[in-house]
Amino acid sequence: CWSLSCLMTSMVRLTSSGREEREGFSIRVRRADGAGGEEEEESWGWNGKGRISGLEPGQYDVTIRSRGHATKRVEGVQVLASQTTEVEVTLVEGVPLAARVLDQNGQPLVDAEIEVLDSGGGKVDAMDASSQFLSGFFGGADGSVPLGSFEAGAYRVRVTWQGQSREQGVALASGQQETEVVEFTFSR
């Protein structure tokens, strides 16, 4: 695992602490207080350093992703005018999770929405139909769509297609290297 410091003002900076990182990562911030609608700001970082410029004062949810590590989300980070807010984030090795959404004939359904929920029912991550379609180009030959890497634990995957919704539980084990694939079948 590795640690990142997240400094937020009208810009976001991530600096590494601990061992040297060579991997890139993405930083996404979204207004948590509803101001500004659903607009997101996104940037990337390398070697533990990254930046997002132009943040207005307010509350933000910060999401950090790095290949092979569990996605980390910090909610309700308060950004004040002319001040810096520091958030310590530790990324841990993640377990890869994918979903396969098929019709009754075994053909992939690329227009489904997929959500990953924690054991309490809170949304951990989500993929809308257009994101799933694009992600399908990087998925498996079996129609599986990568959902990301998650911390070990119990999750539920919810898929919605044409008004129909299905959920399935999945347990991700610490140290698991192989992608866990959850499969759903819908009738057209």
Side-chain angles (χ1 to χ4, degrees):
C1 76
W2 39 288
S3 297
L4 302 170
S5 296
C6 182
L7 306 174
M8 299 178 59
T9 61
S10 59
M11 76 174 73
V12 174
R13 251 176 240 201
L14 275 92
T15 55
S16 171
S17 63
R19 71 181 182 97
E20 181 180 338
E21 286 77 28
R22 292 197 166 96
E23 292 286 325
F25 58 90
S26 71
I27 312 162
R28 178 177 288 176
V29 296
R30 173 182 272 182
R31 290 293 297 244
D33 55 13
E38 291 295 311
E39 216 171 292
E40 293 184 351
E41 296 289 332
E42 188 167 5
S43 187
W44 56 273
W46 191 258
N47 290 332
K49 297 177 185 168
R51 173 185 318 224
I52 293 181
S53 299
L55 295 179
E56 296 292 326
Q59 280 193 346
Y60 290 85
D61 294 337
V62 180
T63 304
I64 300 168
R65 298 175 196 262
S66 178
R67 181 183 301 263
H69 294 86
T71 298
K72 190 67 170 185
R73 185 170 182 192
V74 181
E75 296 179 340
V77 175
Q78 184 69 38
V79 175
L80 303 173
S82 304
Q83 292 188 17
T84 299
T85 302
E86 187 170 334
V87 178
E88 268 306 305
V89 177
T90 300
L91 297 180
V92 297
E93 194 172 322
V95 179
L97 179 62
R100 187 177 311 123
V101 183
L102 308 171
D103 69 11
Q104 71 274 13
N105 299 319
Q107 296 301 308
L109 296 172
V110 296
D111 56 345
E113 293 186 18
I114 304 170
E115 297 174 299
V116 180
L117 310 172
D118 62 21
S119 58
K123 190 180 342 180
V124 177
D125 209 353
M127 180 178 291
D128 62 20
S130 59
S131 297
Q132 182 193 346
F133 176 76
L134 292 173
S135 183
F137 289 111
F138 304 102
D142 61 356
S144 62
V145 176
L147 302 177
S149 292
F150 298 87
E151 288 188 55
Y155 297 89
R156 296 203 57 77
V157 178
R158 178 187 304 149
V159 176
T160 304
W161 179 74
Q162 293 188 350
Q164 302 174 58
S165 200
R166 296 206 175 41
E167 278 189 34
Q168 189 172 333
V170 61
L172 303 178
S174 183
Q176 181 177 343
Q177 299 296 314
E178 193 170 312
T179 300
E180 185 72 35
V181 180
V182 183
E183 187 170 308
F184 296 85
T185 304
F186 290 88
S187 295
R188 287 192 187 259

